[in-house]
Amino acid sequence: EKHKGKVLLVDYWATWCPTCVENLPHIVQLHNEHSDDGLAVISISMDDPEEEAAVREELAKLSPGFEHLLSKFGSSDDSVAAFDYDGGVPLYKLFDHEGNLRYQFSDFPEQLEKGEPVENLDKRVEELLAELPEQESSTEELPAEDLPANYAN
């Protein structure tokens, strides 16, 4: 609910996945570049709960400014069911501002519904951000003739 009206990127990752750890700085960068444009990011670690310290340590290296979750089921079949994912990481799900799943990104996109290669992630984020409705301005632009004579542009 708190991400309503935003483009939402969900990053499924784990500390035991070298590709996940390698890609995490880019996810942080995407968030930093586009959070003011309407992008929200959530990371979900598929590490086992007893690995929480390792997850926190990895995240502390980057100081990401978005929400992080640790699956209480780790990488078990229960996580697959709870989070509706295929069990492989990294996996990125991209939802539009209306909450519709538009794309999934992985190293094996052909195995996913709406799957695309990870290389397309940035392009698709920008595409969905461009679809966001225009925000109403809190200021009103006055016609030039309504401005005082001593007003300089």
Side-chain angles (χ1 to χ4, degrees):
E1 186 65 29
K2 72 178 175 182
H3 302 299
K4 188 175 182 177
K6 294 185 176 190
V7 173
L8 177 63
L9 173 63
V10 181
D11 174 8
Y12 297 84
W13 72 287
T15 59
W16 45 260
C17 166
T19 305
C20 299
V21 173
E22 192 176 294
N23 290 350
L24 196 53
H26 183 72
I27 301 303
V28 172
Q29 178 186 356
L30 258 180
H31 172 263
N32 292 344
E33 287 177 7
H34 295 294
S35 62
D36 289 343
D37 302 329
L39 177 67
V41 177
I42 298 174
S43 76
I44 303 175
S45 170
M46 294 298 146
D47 288 277
D48 290 326
E50 52 271 6
E51 297 298 322
E52 181 179 349
V55 172
R56 288 184 181 278
E57 182 179 319
E58 200 59 50
L59 292 171
K61 294 177 189 175
L62 301 169
S63 300
F66 50 84
E67 192 174 347
H68 308 284
L69 305 173
L70 174 62
S71 172
K72 67 180 179 182
F73 306 117
S75 59
S76 72
D77 289 342
D78 290 336
S79 275
V80 171
F83 294 104
D84 188 29
Y85 86 114
D86 70 353
V89 290
L91 173 68
Y92 309 95
K93 290 187 176 190
L94 189 59
F95 298 85
D96 66 20
H97 69 281
E98 295 177 343
N100 301 307
L101 175 64
R102 294 281 291 273
Y103 303 104
Q104 297 189 83
F105 304 89
S106 84
D107 293 333
F108 305 99
E110 65 281 353
Q111 297 176 4
L112 299 170
E113 181 182 343
K114 303 178 184 184
E116 294 212 5
V118 175
E119 296 78 37
N120 291 358
L121 179 61
D122 291 33
K123 175 175 72 171
R124 296 303 188 194
V125 164
E126 291 174 10
E127 172 188 298
L128 294 187
L129 288 172
E131 293 177 6
L132 287 173
E134 291 291 321
Q135 300 294 318
E136 287 189 29
S137 175
S138 59
T139 60
E140 183 178 334
E141 191 170 314
L142 296 173
E145 61 271 10
D146 290 347
L147 295 174
N150 64 350
Y151 178 80
N153 287 337

